[in-house]
Amino acid sequence: MPHRARPEDEIFNQSPPFADVNLFTSDAALGEAMKREGAAWALPDLEKFGALTGSASALELGRLANDNPPKLKNFDPRGRRIDCVEFHAAYHQVMAISTAQGLHCSTWETTRAGAHVARCAGSFMAAQMEPGHCCPITMTHAVAASLKHEPSLLEAWLPKIVVRAYDPSPEPAQTKRAVTFGMGMTERQGGTDVRANTTRAEPLSGAGPGKAYRITGHKWFLSAPMSDLFLVLAQAKGGLSCFLLPRLRPDGSLNGLRLLRLKDKLGNRSNASSEAEFDDAEGVLVGDEGRGIATIIDMVTLTRLDCAVSSAGLMRHALARAIHHASYRSVFQKKLIDQPLMGQVLADMALDAEAATALAFRLARAFDGGEDPAQAAYRRLMTPVTKYWVCKTAPALIGEAMECLGGNGYVEEGGFPLLYREAPVNAIWEGSGNVMCLDVLRVLEKEPDTVDLALTELKDTASRDKALDLAFDRVKTLLRNCRVEPKLARALVEQLAVTQAAALLRRHAPSALSDAFVATRLAGGWRNTYGAGLAQGDARAILARAAPRI
């Protein structure tokens, strides 16, 4: 008997899926950032990538990769140790998309101005497509900075990095055309305090840079364990040192690397993170013995940039989805976006989302600055500041955006739970909030001239704006006080972040947005939720800019 249509079967007043949206052309702030930060030449390529990453098919790959997390297989059917992680096909597909775009290598292919800015724009959109795979992508990109400490290693492996291809085959790295890199720093007894590491490294035949060492010990977190090679820290005779360790030996056998288990993480579920042991693994010393932190920190600094960019991308995606829903959903005879309270909440979130974008891409331009003293100073000071504020702002914003969809936001098929679970990770990885603050204190103590040079641009903007000038005075007071009271470091870092963001918005964003940001973030009263302090702002103008241009 044919199904008889009933009135309750009719679906109405539901927003259409947020899919087949060009993540580049729909984002006014992103496009403008490319032009002002030196990557206008990349606009056509980024427009194509935006269409791909925002397509329904790409977003579905992201869902599948997270719904089918990786699985660890320690043994083959005959009992031979293989320590292999199996991924869903969708994970390999998103990896192929991002490597084809060159997100793992493009800045090493060219010295063109704006290369970091253009690459970060791709990463900003890739995180919206599927955030978990960005971990091995960013580590593969960043590793070359540390390999520079041993030129022979850079010469050997850079040609396999700068290949716009993805090869997940279980073959020795030496025989592969394209390789990926992971990292192993922390141990269970030390965590952030890597100087407490107990993993040992003993020279096989002669000590020194580029020489082979036998490595024995463990890592509490080994990121992306199916990478072809890893940078790891271990204690050599000369102190904590950095080593390049292949996963497989040249004959294809395991290089003493045993995967004990995969971490069952809150989010980032498409990407594998493991606990591992090294049983007489062979690695090559990168840089000098005892200089492990100084060697690996160049890789870490680049990954911190990507943490901020990825979190900014997740914020943009959450906001765009919330505005999209509110533009279609009717409540009490009005579109949801036209309800004053909802409009104010969305507009308030838009302020932080655009501020995060502005901070992330201004920082990316500093990485394009090479040895220019001003740009070097900016990236030294503002990398931890930007990572701290952007990555800490993301969870609250994404949670509020999810609430804008009500129950539809809370169920898995709506996509928001994936975003919400992912939100905290970048604030934890590559240095938690306190670690970022301690890094800033280290700059204050050891590089005071760097601080002054990094703040020149902010000082110039603040001198022409009363509210910014007052905020900059607070920054200067905190800078002085932190030298004697380190417990004020979080107050300093947050004040510096919002003041710099306000300065960027003053220079580059419409006045409706910059006025509201200054009034609420610099001069506003105490607030704990979005929409609580924007009563005097022009919510319609802010939302008109933030709305995805579909």
Side-chain angles (χ1 to χ4, degrees), residues 15-23 26 53-56 59 128 316-325 328 405 414 416 419 547-550:
S15 57
F18 187 81
D20 290 325
V21 175
N22 189 310
L23 298 180
S26 66
T53 50
S55 66
L59 295 174
Q128 298 178 59
R316 168 59 195 175
H317 197 67
L319 173 67
R321 283 187 172 225
I323 294 175
H324 173 78
H325 173 78
Y328 287 94
L405 275 70
F416 256 100
L419 285 174
R549 300 175 180 181
I550 301 174

mmCIF file of all heavy atoms in Angstrom, residues 15-23 26 53-56 59 128 316-325 328 405 414 416 419 547-550:
data_model
loop_
_atom_site.group_PDB
_atom_site.id
_atom_site.type_symbol
_atom_site.label_atom_id
_atom_site.label_comp_id
_atom_site.label_asym_id
_atom_site.label_seq_id
_atom_site.Cartn_x
_atom_site.Cartn_y
_atom_site.Cartn_z
ATOM 1 N N SER A 15 16.942 25.077 8.269
ATOM 2 C CA SER A 15 17.988 25.662 7.426
ATOM 3 C C SER A 15 18.565 24.582 6.519
ATOM 4 O O SER A 15 18.685 23.416 6.918
ATOM 5 C CB SER A 15 19.103 26.259 8.288
ATOM 6 O OG SER A 15 19.650 25.283 9.149
ATOM 7 N N PRO A 16 18.929 24.938 5.287
ATOM 8 C CA PRO A 16 19.553 23.955 4.390
ATOM 9 C C PRO A 16 20.938 23.588 4.884
ATOM 10 O O PRO A 16 21.534 24.306 5.705
ATOM 11 C CB PRO A 16 19.612 24.692 3.049
ATOM 12 C CG PRO A 16 19.627 26.141 3.408
ATOM 13 C CD PRO A 16 18.795 26.268 4.654
ATOM 14 N N PRO A 17 21.482 22.473 4.417
ATOM 15 C CA PRO A 17 22.838 22.080 4.854
ATOM 16 C C PRO A 17 23.866 23.160 4.519
ATOM 17 O O PRO A 17 23.768 23.823 3.485
ATOM 18 C CB PRO A 17 23.100 20.790 4.065
ATOM 19 C CG PRO A 17 21.754 20.281 3.685
ATOM 20 C CD PRO A 17 20.893 21.495 3.484
ATOM 21 N N PHE A 18 24.820 23.324 5.402
ATOM 22 C CA PHE A 18 25.922 24.251 5.132
ATOM 23 C C PHE A 18 26.980 23.458 4.374
ATOM 24 O O PHE A 18 27.889 22.855 4.956
ATOM 25 C CB PHE A 18 26.483 24.807 6.434
ATOM 26 C CG PHE A 18 27.506 25.897 6.224
ATOM 27 C CD1 PHE A 18 27.106 27.199 5.960
ATOM 28 C CD2 PHE A 18 28.869 25.631 6.285
ATOM 29 C CE1 PHE A 18 28.047 28.209 5.766
ATOM 30 C CE2 PHE A 18 29.806 26.631 6.090
ATOM 31 C CZ PHE A 18 29.391 27.925 5.826
ATOM 32 N N ALA A 19 26.850 23.422 3.077
ATOM 33 C CA ALA A 19 27.748 22.636 2.223
ATOM 34 C C ALA A 19 27.758 23.259 0.837
ATOM 35 O O ALA A 19 26.872 24.052 0.484
ATOM 36 C CB ALA A 19 27.295 21.183 2.155
ATOM 37 N N ASP A 20 28.772 22.881 0.058
ATOM 38 C CA ASP A 20 28.988 23.497 -1.256
ATOM 39 C C ASP A 20 29.084 25.016 -1.121
ATOM 40 O O ASP A 20 28.504 25.783 -1.886
ATOM 41 C CB ASP A 20 27.894 23.082 -2.237
ATOM 42 C CG ASP A 20 28.005 21.619 -2.625
ATOM 43 O OD1 ASP A 20 29.147 21.116 -2.737
ATOM 44 O OD2 ASP A 20 26.960 20.966 -2.798
ATOM 45 N N VAL A 21 29.834 25.422 -0.095
ATOM 46 C CA VAL A 21 30.118 26.832 0.176
ATOM 47 C C VAL A 21 31.605 27.056 -0.071
ATOM 48 O O VAL A 21 32.441 26.321 0.458
ATOM 49 C CB VAL A 21 29.775 27.190 1.634
ATOM 50 C CG1 VAL A 21 30.183 28.627 1.947
ATOM 51 C CG2 VAL A 21 28.297 26.973 1.917
ATOM 52 N N ASN A 22 31.940 28.041 -0.871
ATOM 53 C CA ASN A 22 33.349 28.355 -1.099
ATOM 54 C C ASN A 22 33.894 29.019 0.166
ATOM 55 O O ASN A 22 33.516 30.140 0.506
ATOM 56 C CB ASN A 22 33.508 29.283 -2.303
ATOM 57 C CG ASN A 22 34.957 29.452 -2.707
ATOM 58 O OD1 ASN A 22 35.825 29.750 -1.889
ATOM 59 N ND2 ASN A 22 35.247 29.267 -3.991
ATOM 60 N N LEU A 23 34.770 28.313 0.872
ATOM 61 C CA LEU A 23 35.261 28.794 2.152
ATOM 62 C C LEU A 23 36.159 30.015 2.025
ATOM 63 O O LEU A 23 36.443 30.681 3.024
ATOM 64 C CB LEU A 23 36.010 27.682 2.897
ATOM 65 C CG LEU A 23 35.185 26.445 3.254
ATOM 66 C CD1 LEU A 23 36.051 25.420 3.979
ATOM 67 C CD2 LEU A 23 33.974 26.812 4.094
ATOM 68 N N SER A 26 33.468 33.189 0.406
ATOM 69 C CA SER A 26 32.381 33.493 1.339
ATOM 70 C C SER A 26 32.857 34.213 2.588
ATOM 71 O O SER A 26 32.052 34.620 3.417
ATOM 72 C CB SER A 26 31.658 32.200 1.748
ATOM 73 O OG SER A 26 32.525 31.368 2.505
ATOM 74 N N THR A 53 37.410 22.623 -0.468
ATOM 75 C CA THR A 53 37.307 22.291 0.952
ATOM 76 C C THR A 53 35.910 22.528 1.517
ATOM 77 O O THR A 53 35.530 21.907 2.514
ATOM 78 C CB THR A 53 38.332 23.099 1.769
ATOM 79 O OG1 THR A 53 38.228 24.492 1.418
ATOM 80 C CG2 THR A 53 39.749 22.608 1.499
ATOM 81 N N GLY A 54 35.146 23.417 0.903
ATOM 82 C CA GLY A 54 33.785 23.669 1.364
ATOM 83 C C GLY A 54 32.732 22.860 0.642
ATOM 84 O O GLY A 54 31.533 23.028 0.909
ATOM 85 N N SER A 55 33.166 21.978 -0.254
ATOM 86 C CA SER A 55 32.203 21.166 -1.000
ATOM 87 C C SER A 55 31.560 20.116 -0.101
ATOM 88 O O SER A 55 32.138 19.685 0.901
ATOM 89 C CB SER A 55 32.889 20.471 -2.179
ATOM 90 O OG SER A 55 33.837 19.522 -1.709
ATOM 91 N N ALA A 56 30.358 19.708 -0.481
ATOM 92 C CA ALA A 56 29.657 18.681 0.300
ATOM 93 C C ALA A 56 30.476 17.394 0.360
ATOM 94 O O ALA A 56 30.520 16.725 1.396
ATOM 95 C CB ALA A 56 28.279 18.419 -0.319
ATOM 96 N N LEU A 59 33.446 17.836 2.910
ATOM 97 C CA LEU A 59 32.948 17.841 4.285
ATOM 98 C C LEU A 59 32.477 16.453 4.700
ATOM 99 O O LEU A 59 32.613 16.065 5.865
ATOM 100 C CB LEU A 59 31.813 18.860 4.422
ATOM 101 C CG LEU A 59 32.224 20.325 4.217
ATOM 102 C CD1 LEU A 59 30.998 21.227 4.240
ATOM 103 C CD2 LEU A 59 33.230 20.785 5.265
ATOM 104 N N GLN A 128 38.746 23.569 8.416
ATOM 105 C CA GLN A 128 37.287 23.571 8.350
ATOM 106 C C GLN A 128 36.769 22.325 7.639
ATOM 107 O O GLN A 128 35.687 21.822 7.964
ATOM 108 C CB GLN A 128 36.796 24.828 7.636
ATOM 109 C CG GLN A 128 37.178 26.111 8.341
ATOM 110 C CD GLN A 128 36.716 27.343 7.594
ATOM 111 O OE1 GLN A 128 35.534 27.540 7.336
ATOM 112 N NE2 GLN A 128 37.668 28.210 7.236
ATOM 113 N N ARG A 316 35.802 30.597 12.558
ATOM 114 C CA ARG A 316 35.093 31.122 11.388
ATOM 115 C C ARG A 316 34.027 30.138 10.925
ATOM 116 O O ARG A 316 32.900 30.530 10.610
ATOM 117 C CB ARG A 316 36.095 31.390 10.254
ATOM 118 C CG ARG A 316 35.459 31.659 8.893
ATOM 119 C CD ARG A 316 34.531 32.867 8.925
ATOM 120 N NE ARG A 316 33.674 32.900 7.730
ATOM 121 C CZ ARG A 316 32.705 33.793 7.532
ATOM 122 N NH1 ARG A 316 32.469 34.729 8.447
ATOM 123 N NH2 ARG A 316 31.978 33.761 6.437
ATOM 124 N N HIS A 317 34.365 28.864 10.891
ATOM 125 C CA HIS A 317 33.417 27.867 10.399
ATOM 126 C C HIS A 317 32.198 27.783 11.316
ATOM 127 O O HIS A 317 31.050 27.707 10.837
ATOM 128 C CB HIS A 317 34.102 26.507 10.304
ATOM 129 C CG HIS A 317 33.370 25.521 9.453
ATOM 130 N ND1 HIS A 317 33.231 25.667 8.090
ATOM 131 C CD2 HIS A 317 32.719 24.373 9.773
ATOM 132 C CE1 HIS A 317 32.554 24.650 7.600
ATOM 133 N NE2 HIS A 317 32.207 23.854 8.606
ATOM 134 N N ALA A 318 32.421 27.789 12.627
ATOM 135 C CA ALA A 318 31.312 27.727 13.576
ATOM 136 C C ALA A 318 30.414 28.956 13.436
ATOM 137 O O ALA A 318 29.176 28.849 13.443
ATOM 138 C CB ALA A 318 31.853 27.619 14.998
ATOM 139 N N LEU A 319 31.026 30.131 13.331
ATOM 140 C CA LEU A 319 30.253 31.358 13.182
ATOM 141 C C LEU A 319 29.443 31.343 11.882
ATOM 142 O O LEU A 319 28.253 31.690 11.869
ATOM 143 C CB LEU A 319 31.185 32.564 13.204
ATOM 144 C CG LEU A 319 30.528 33.914 12.898
ATOM 145 C CD1 LEU A 319 29.566 34.306 14.012
ATOM 146 C CD2 LEU A 319 31.592 34.997 12.690
ATOM 147 N N ALA A 320 30.095 30.947 10.782
ATOM 148 C CA ALA A 320 29.405 30.923 9.492
ATOM 149 C C ALA A 320 28.207 29.981 9.529
ATOM 150 O O ALA A 320 27.126 30.301 8.998
ATOM 151 C CB ALA A 320 30.380 30.516 8.391
ATOM 152 N N ARG A 321 28.369 28.831 10.153
ATOM 153 C CA ARG A 321 27.245 27.887 10.261
ATOM 154 C C ARG A 321 26.113 28.464 11.102
ATOM 155 O O ARG A 321 24.930 28.277 10.789
ATOM 156 C CB ARG A 321 27.729 26.573 10.864
ATOM 157 C CG ARG A 321 28.495 25.690 9.889
ATOM 158 C CD ARG A 321 28.792 24.331 10.499
ATOM 159 N NE ARG A 321 29.345 23.434 9.506
ATOM 160 C CZ ARG A 321 28.970 22.171 9.341
ATOM 161 N NH1 ARG A 321 28.017 21.666 10.110
ATOM 162 N NH2 ARG A 321 29.512 21.409 8.419
ATOM 163 N N ALA A 322 26.460 29.152 12.182
ATOM 164 C CA ALA A 322 25.428 29.733 13.037
ATOM 165 C C ALA A 322 24.664 30.838 12.311
ATOM 166 O O ALA A 322 23.425 30.913 12.380
ATOM 167 C CB ALA A 322 26.069 30.278 14.315
ATOM 168 N N ILE A 323 25.386 31.720 11.601
ATOM 169 C CA ILE A 323 24.723 32.783 10.845
ATOM 170 C C ILE A 323 23.867 32.191 9.736
ATOM 171 O O ILE A 323 22.736 32.638 9.478
ATOM 172 C CB ILE A 323 25.764 33.765 10.267
ATOM 173 C CG1 ILE A 323 26.472 34.520 11.397
ATOM 174 C CG2 ILE A 323 25.103 34.751 9.315
ATOM 175 C CD1 ILE A 323 27.591 35.428 10.921
ATOM 176 N N HIS A 324 24.390 31.173 9.073
ATOM 177 C CA HIS A 324 23.638 30.495 8.005
ATOM 178 C C HIS A 324 22.313 29.960 8.542
ATOM 179 O O HIS A 324 21.246 30.185 7.944
ATOM 180 C CB HIS A 324 24.506 29.361 7.447
ATOM 181 C CG HIS A 324 23.813 28.476 6.467
ATOM 182 N ND1 HIS A 324 23.596 28.844 5.162
ATOM 183 C CD2 HIS A 324 23.294 27.220 6.605
ATOM 184 C CE1 HIS A 324 22.982 27.863 4.520
ATOM 185 N NE2 HIS A 324 22.783 26.867 5.383
ATOM 186 N N HIS A 325 22.360 29.274 9.667
ATOM 187 C CA HIS A 325 21.132 28.726 10.259
ATOM 188 C C HIS A 325 20.166 29.845 10.640
ATOM 189 O O HIS A 325 18.964 29.781 10.334
ATOM 190 C CB HIS A 325 21.490 27.901 11.495
ATOM 191 C CG HIS A 325 20.296 27.443 12.277
ATOM 192 N ND1 HIS A 325 19.510 26.377 11.884
ATOM 193 C CD2 HIS A 325 19.750 27.926 13.430
ATOM 194 C CE1 HIS A 325 18.530 26.213 12.763
ATOM 195 N NE2 HIS A 325 18.659 27.129 13.707
ATOM 196 N N TYR A 328 17.933 31.441 7.957
ATOM 197 C CA TYR A 328 16.820 30.678 7.390
ATOM 198 C C TYR A 328 15.740 30.340 8.408
ATOM 199 O O TYR A 328 14.567 30.216 8.056
ATOM 200 C CB TYR A 328 17.351 29.369 6.779
ATOM 201 C CG TYR A 328 18.100 29.562 5.498
ATOM 202 C CD1 TYR A 328 19.491 29.709 5.497
ATOM 203 C CD2 TYR A 328 17.442 29.617 4.272
ATOM 204 C CE1 TYR A 328 20.200 29.890 4.321
ATOM 205 C CE2 TYR A 328 18.133 29.795 3.088
ATOM 206 C CZ TYR A 328 19.508 29.938 3.115
ATOM 207 O OH TYR A 328 20.201 30.113 1.942
ATOM 208 N N LEU A 405 22.064 26.879 17.201
ATOM 209 C CA LEU A 405 21.283 25.906 16.436
ATOM 210 C C LEU A 405 20.368 25.082 17.328
ATOM 211 O O LEU A 405 19.624 24.222 16.838
ATOM 212 C CB LEU A 405 22.199 24.969 15.649
ATOM 213 C CG LEU A 405 22.673 25.461 14.270
ATOM 214 C CD1 LEU A 405 23.656 26.621 14.427
ATOM 215 C CD2 LEU A 405 23.319 24.345 13.477
ATOM 216 N N GLY A 414 24.613 17.099 12.661
ATOM 217 C CA GLY A 414 24.701 18.521 12.355
ATOM 218 C C GLY A 414 26.122 19.021 12.182
ATOM 219 O O GLY A 414 26.340 20.115 11.658
ATOM 220 N N PHE A 416 28.313 20.019 14.445
ATOM 221 C CA PHE A 416 28.877 20.849 15.504
ATOM 222 C C PHE A 416 29.608 20.062 16.591
ATOM 223 O O PHE A 416 30.612 20.535 17.127
ATOM 224 C CB PHE A 416 27.800 21.734 16.123
ATOM 225 C CG PHE A 416 27.877 23.164 15.664
ATOM 226 C CD1 PHE A 416 27.041 23.633 14.669
ATOM 227 C CD2 PHE A 416 28.814 24.027 16.196
ATOM 228 C CE1 PHE A 416 27.126 24.941 14.224
ATOM 229 C CE2 PHE A 416 28.912 25.332 15.761
ATOM 230 C CZ PHE A 416 28.064 25.804 14.774
ATOM 231 N N LEU A 419 33.213 19.879 15.727
ATOM 232 C CA LEU A 419 33.907 21.147 15.938
ATOM 233 C C LEU A 419 34.157 21.395 17.423
ATOM 234 O O LEU A 419 35.242 21.843 17.820
ATOM 235 C CB LEU A 419 33.066 22.299 15.374
ATOM 236 C CG LEU A 419 33.006 22.489 13.871
ATOM 237 C CD1 LEU A 419 32.002 23.584 13.534
ATOM 238 C CD2 LEU A 419 34.369 22.840 13.303
ATOM 239 N N ALA A 547 28.540 37.482 7.558
ATOM 240 C CA ALA A 547 27.693 36.457 6.933
ATOM 241 C C ALA A 547 28.431 35.778 5.785
ATOM 242 O O ALA A 547 29.072 36.448 4.966
ATOM 243 C CB ALA A 547 26.407 37.083 6.422
ATOM 244 N N PRO A 548 28.372 34.443 5.704
ATOM 245 C CA PRO A 548 28.995 33.749 4.568
ATOM 246 C C PRO A 548 28.337 34.160 3.256
ATOM 247 O O PRO A 548 27.112 34.189 3.151
ATOM 248 C CB PRO A 548 28.754 32.265 4.885
ATOM 249 C CG PRO A 548 27.626 32.248 5.862
ATOM 250 C CD PRO A 548 27.714 33.521 6.628
ATOM 251 N N ARG A 549 29.153 34.501 2.291
ATOM 252 C CA ARG A 549 28.660 34.988 0.998
ATOM 253 C C ARG A 549 28.439 33.789 0.079
ATOM 254 O O ARG A 549 29.341 33.358 -0.639
ATOM 255 C CB ARG A 549 29.642 35.978 0.402
ATOM 256 C CG ARG A 549 29.846 37.185 1.321
ATOM 257 C CD ARG A 549 30.915 38.125 0.801
ATOM 258 N NE ARG A 549 31.080 39.272 1.701
ATOM 259 C CZ ARG A 549 31.927 40.275 1.486
ATOM 260 N NH1 ARG A 549 32.688 40.276 0.408
ATOM 261 N NH2 ARG A 549 32.003 41.268 2.344
ATOM 262 N N ILE A 550 27.250 33.279 0.121
ATOM 263 C CA ILE A 550 26.939 32.042 -0.601
ATOM 264 C C ILE A 550 26.238 32.383 -1.915
ATOM 265 O O ILE A 550 25.308 33.165 -1.939
ATOM 266 C CB ILE A 550 26.049 31.127 0.260
ATOM 267 C CG1 ILE A 550 26.780 30.794 1.563
ATOM 268 C CG2 ILE A 550 25.680 29.857 -0.487
ATOM 269 C CD1 ILE A 550 25.951 30.028 2.559
#
